[in-house]
Amino acid sequence: MRKVLTGLLLTLTCLLSSLAFAGPKVEFKTTMGNFVVELNPEKAPKTSANFLDYVKSGFYDGTIFHRVIDGFMIQGGGFTPNLVQKPTKDPVVSEAQNGLKNQIYTIAMARTANPDSATAQFFINVANNQGLDYPNAMGNGYTVFGKVISGTQTIDAIRKVPTMIAPAPQMGRMSDVPTKPVTILSATVIQ
């Protein structure tokens, strides 16, 4: 009996400690369904704060998933439906060395070749993308800062949309653009 009680107490303690470390949650409502991401400000404090600032300001509302590659990732948070890039705040410093991996349904920051260039755009991995982890072939990696905790069926639906090469006003042409816009209707911090 004592062993059973000790085991139950240990299980309960582990459960409560995992609940205590739960990070902020953001609900995305899109034209293809909803999903919720949980951020990890303990491992990616600057990235999480940057992302939450964009969410709270309403920046993501009306942007699209502009790059969709099934078997790799879906990227959004920077372009309007007519492929005009929205102006952003200053970049955030890379936190790719935080130990979080680019596994299926994790959310990470998109960036240029400069590891410290991430602003508003993010991507959700739709596969385990070890090549994006720190250190990768170029020595950098991409900062993972959370994971999808509900609505993976929405992510799976988005990753399957047909794509095309599309004219983009500020960039010439963009590839892997959904043929029908997948729009983020709202992104909201929830409890």
Side-chain angles (χ1 to χ4, degrees):
M1 182 69 165
R2 187 175 209 178
K3 284 183 180 181
V4 171
L5 287 175
T6 303
L8 285 173
L9 185 58
L10 182 62
T11 303
L12 184 60
T13 303
C14 288
L15 224 131
L16 289 174
S17 72
S18 71
L19 291 175
F21 292 107
K25 295 171 187 62
V26 175
E27 180 181 35
F28 284 86
K29 294 182 179 180
T30 80
T31 52
M32 293 191 69
N34 304 341
F35 63 93
V36 176
V37 295
E38 181 177 20
L39 308 186
N40 190 332
E42 183 181 314
K43 297 263 186 159
K46 294 175 184 170
T47 304
S48 295
N50 177 66
F51 183 76
L52 286 171
D53 284 347
Y54 280 110
V55 169
K56 290 173 184 174
S57 74
F59 181 90
Y60 294 123
D61 302 358
T63 61
I64 61 168
F65 282 94
H66 64 275
R67 188 169 174 231
V68 173
I69 305 172
D70 190 18
F72 182 42
M73 58 91 223
I74 62 173
Q75 182 175 335
F79 287 86
T80 65
N82 55 359
L83 296 178
V84 172
Q85 191 167 9
K86 292 180 75 171
T88 61
K89 303 180 302 171
D90 290 338
V92 66
V93 175
S94 174
E95 295 176 307
Q97 298 180 37
N98 64 17
L100 298 175
K101 304 298 182 192
N102 283 277
Q103 297 173 333
I104 191 166
Y105 302 126
T106 57
I107 184 169
M109 291 306 294
R111 60 169 175 77
T112 66
N114 175 352
D116 297 325
S117 63
T119 55
Q121 291 185 42
F122 60 87
F123 63 91
I124 298 171
N125 290 288
V126 297
N128 292 327
N129 291 315
Q130 293 174 318
L132 301 180
D133 293 339
Y134 177 88
N136 64 11
M138 297 178 66
N140 300 313
Y142 290 78
T143 302
V144 174
F145 63 100
K147 62 185 175 184
V148 177
I149 59 168
S150 70
T152 55
Q153 69 279 7
T154 298
I155 304 304
D156 290 338
I158 295 170
R159 75 188 224 179
K160 297 286 186 188
V161 299
T163 61
M164 64 181 174
I165 297 174
Q170 299 167 332
M171 305 183 72
R173 298 169 67 78
M174 288 176 61
S175 58
D176 307 308
V177 177
T179 54
K180 181 180 174 188
V182 179
T183 304
I184 297 169
L185 304 172
S186 67
T188 311
V189 179
I190 59 172
Q191 297 303 328

